[in-house]
Amino acid sequence: MRGVDRGAEQEFRKELVALLPRLRRFAWSLTSDRTEADDLVQAACERALSHMHQWKPGTRLDSWMFRILYNLMIDETRRSRKKKVHMPLDEELLATAQSDGTRRMEAKVQLKQVLEAMMKLNPQERALLSLVCIEGMSYKEAADTLGIPIGTVMSRLARARKKLYQMVKGKK
């Protein structure tokens, strides 16, 4: 890699590999499809590796990678302009539900409702919900990751939460 010494390159790659589960989760929350999410993560990793010289050691690699992934998703959305609604239910997400059949079924139904509602949100709202509510980022970290003011994060997140709640509760 140009401009990066061998030790720094190895450390970068090691940190990138450690981030893969979080990147996959974020990509899946944006696409709702495991295959598309994996493709998005692969494209983000390829871009990061080819632009490794642009990353500043000492800064948060996760924020940099989430930004790359998000920008790739936005670019792809603009290119395709057609939205697929594919909502696979992932058994891993339901593993925490009790084995009681009724509770498991309720958990599946609720998860499906939330996922379907989340996919109706615009990409910016979906990304913010994922970064803050799933990844646990602070508002400031999410703002830095997406390159938007913190006030915008707060207002978009509030709107996204309200819309999601209304859609799931059937008040829309």
Side-chain angles (χ1 to χ4, degrees):
M1 295 286 147
R2 60 182 197 243
V4 179
D5 71 53
R6 186 80 174 135
E9 179 182 340
Q10 287 177 335
E11 184 61 29
F12 179 89
R13 289 174 184 267
K14 182 179 171 185
E15 288 182 40
L16 184 60
V17 168
L19 273 175
L20 287 176
R22 292 179 61 205
L23 292 172
R24 286 187 77 223
R25 186 172 52 229
F26 181 56
W28 186 70
S29 74
L30 296 174
T31 65
S32 84
D33 181 88
R34 291 277 183 208
T35 303
E36 287 181 34
D38 287 343
D39 290 347
L40 193 57
V41 169
Q42 181 178 348
C45 288
E46 288 173 1
R47 177 147 316 160
L49 289 168
S50 67
H51 293 87
M52 184 187 320
H53 62 281
Q54 293 178 347
W55 181 68
K56 297 174 183 77
T59 61
R60 292 188 54 164
L61 182 59
D62 61 345
S63 292
W64 192 63
M65 288 301 302
F66 284 135
R67 178 94 184 250
I68 290 171
L69 198 144
Y70 176 72
N71 287 338
L72 285 169
M73 188 273 307
I74 293 295
D75 291 345
E76 181 58 32
T77 301
R78 286 182 184 142
R79 270 193 299 274
S80 69
R81 286 292 181 205
K82 52 183 165 177
K83 189 113 168 141
K84 286 197 296 187
V85 179
H86 174 68
M87 216 38 72
L89 285 178
D90 189 343
E91 292 299 318
E92 290 175 41
L93 295 174
L94 299 169
T96 57
Q98 294 184 3
S99 59
D100 174 3
T102 303
R103 295 192 93 168
R104 187 171 176 85
M105 185 54 72
E106 288 172 358
K108 278 187 174 186
V109 169
Q110 288 175 342
L111 177 61
K112 187 174 193 281
Q113 289 173 339
V114 170
L115 292 174
E116 286 174 347
M118 214 170 148
M119 295 314 297
K120 292 177 184 174
L121 297 173
N122 69 49
Q124 296 83 11
E125 292 169 334
R126 226 173 26 245
L128 281 171
L129 275 173
S130 182
L131 290 174
V132 174
C133 300
I134 297 172
E135 290 301 321
M137 285 189 175
S138 70
Y139 290 2
K140 173 143 181 37
E141 291 167 335
D144 292 344
T145 297
L146 299 178
I148 57 177
I150 195 166
T152 303
V153 167
M154 292 187 297
S155 62
R156 283 185 186 167
L157 194 56
R159 279 194 308 271
R161 285 176 171 155
K162 183 178 180 179
K163 283 181 191 176
L164 190 63
Y165 177 79
Q166 289 172 341
M167 285 188 277
V168 171
K169 293 298 179 184
K171 295 180 183 176
K172 190 170 181 195

